Amino acid sequence: MSRFADKVVVVTGAGSGIGRATAVAFAKEGAIVAVVDIDLQKAETTVAEIAKMGGDALAIQADVSQEADWIEVIARVKGAYGRINILFNNAGIGGDGKPLMELDAADWDRLMAVNLRGIFLGCKHILPALIETGGGAIVNMSSSTAGWDTIFGGGAYMASKAGVTQITKNVALEAAPYGVRVNAVCPGIIETRLSSAQAGADEAEQDAFFDHFRQRIPLGRVGQPEDVATAVLFFASDEARHITGSTLLIDGGQTLQSWSNAPSAPYPPQ
Ligand code: NAP
């Protein structure tokens, strides 16, 4: 398949989890992928995976919360490939699960810097490059916790993701006259390093954590990174040419049932 032949795609947080799966999915469909991550080694691993499939990708180390890093990312991608057509603004961090009254202001600030300021900076700096090519697409990473779900100890994370959903609409409005579409994906629980980190250190704790979600999710399975990648590629493709400012839940129905509907859900979590 070559839905994205000749497209140059920037994916942030592409060294792991959803970002990595999406970078690989874009490459499978013909895109050239700039694999951006705060950890260069992980970005290089994704690039190696793409190269093994015969694809073209470039690893770039950057912290999405830093404006100078974004300017460098864009210069390097344009220097290598001459253009940018698509951004998946995905990089993000989870919180440490503390209730807001116990949360340090510095932890709040870091979460907002990566999860919300990072999204703003990505939109701000990529837009001129997309406009230069006559249009393009941005997909922002939000979450089911941006208004649908509430999770104990997730206040800062959820506020950051609600901000992403809102900023997506504003950027969509402002970018539409230039032929740039901007949408957001809102996954429920997806099995990645970020979600496993909430579960605890050992395998048994992690199994119990994901089992708990499995029981709550009407479709009876925990989401995988590829489930999100499929939706990102749809938003980025011409099939979504009349869709902008939209948010898509990808949660197996998780938010149709409250947390307490799951069997044996302790509250607050132990
Ligand atoms: P993941 O496996 O931890 O991947 C996130 C990647 O982003 C990691 O490689 C991480 O590097 C990188 N990263 C962290 N901070 C960065 C920064 N400042 N600049 C550049 N890269 C940075 O987690 P994931 O689950 O795939 O998460 C991807 C996105 O999906 C996040 O925005 C997350 O909030 C969102 N999301 C996840 C879930 C879920 O259940 N997993 C649900 C809804 C939304 P390090 O590992 O070195 O920090």
Side-chain angles (χ1 to χ4, degrees):
M1 277 170 79
S2 55
R3 254 195 306 177
F4 297 99
D6 298 328
K7 300 288 186 203
V8 177
V9 183
V10 175
V11 180
T12 67
S16 172
I18 297 167
R20 185 182 59 191
T22 307
V24 169
F26 270 122
K28 273 189 187 152
E29 297 209 31
I32 296 165
V33 188
V35 174
V36 178
D37 203 281
I38 200 164
D39 182 331
L40 182 61
Q41 227 182 343
K42 286 200 297 187
E44 282 169 343
T45 306
T46 303
V47 166
E49 193 177 338
I50 290 172
K52 219 167 143 186
M53 303 171 347
D56 190 353
L58 172 69
I60 304 177
Q61 192 274 331
D63 178 343
V64 296
S65 69
Q66 300 300 310
E67 191 154 26
D69 286 18
W70 272 107
I71 293 167
E72 176 70 17
V73 166
I74 287 149
R76 286 201 48 202
V77 179
K78 284 175 74 177
Y81 303 114
R83 65 194 185 284
I84 300 173
N85 304 103
I86 293 163
L87 166 66
F88 180 30
N89 224 350
N90 163 71
I93 54 176
D96 61 8
K98 282 186 187 160
L100 284 168
M101 66 181 169
E102 293 170 22
L103 189 70
D104 289 339
D107 292 339
W108 170 278
D109 289 345
R110 181 66 191 148
L111 224 133
M112 290 296 164
V114 178
N115 290 6
L116 186 53
R117 179 182 151 93
I119 295 281
F120 153 66
L121 290 174
C123 292
K124 173 182 162 74
H125 287 288
I126 288 271
L127 268 172
L130 299 184
I131 291 167
E132 262 174 38
T133 68
I138 296 176
V139 183
N140 288 331
M141 174 52 85
S142 183
S143 165
S144 65
T145 59
W148 291 275
D149 223 345
T150 307
I151 293 176
F152 190 91
Y157 179 82
M158 292 157 72
S160 72
K161 295 300 186 182
V164 173
T165 297
Q166 186 55 47
I167 204 178
T168 297
K169 295 178 195 214
N170 284 83
V171 183
L173 183 64
E174 292 164 9
Y178 303 100
V180 177
R181 297 180 300 97
V182 187
N183 294 289
V185 285
C186 302
I189 191 83
I190 305 294
E191 207 167 339
T192 66
R193 228 173 38 88
L194 182 145
S195 52
S196 310
Q198 312 292 317
D202 69 61
E203 215 175 297
E205 280 176 312
Q206 295 192 2
D207 286 350
F209 175 82
F210 286 118
D211 264 353
H212 179 80
F213 274 101
R214 205 169 285 116
Q215 289 168 52
R216 182 184 164 200
I217 295 171
L219 287 181
R221 60 188 287 279
V222 172
Q224 297 301 309
E226 292 72 19
D227 298 325
V228 183
T230 309
V232 176
L233 266 63
F234 167 69
F235 271 145
S237 74
D238 289 343
E239 290 149 43
R241 65 183 177 274
H242 202 54
I243 304 177
T244 197
S246 184
T247 49
L248 182 64
L249 260 179
I250 306 156
D251 75 341
Q254 176 183 319
T255 52
L256 298 174
Q257 300 205 85
S258 74
W259 182 270
S260 55
N261 281 350
S264 69
Y267 183 84
Q270 305 303 302

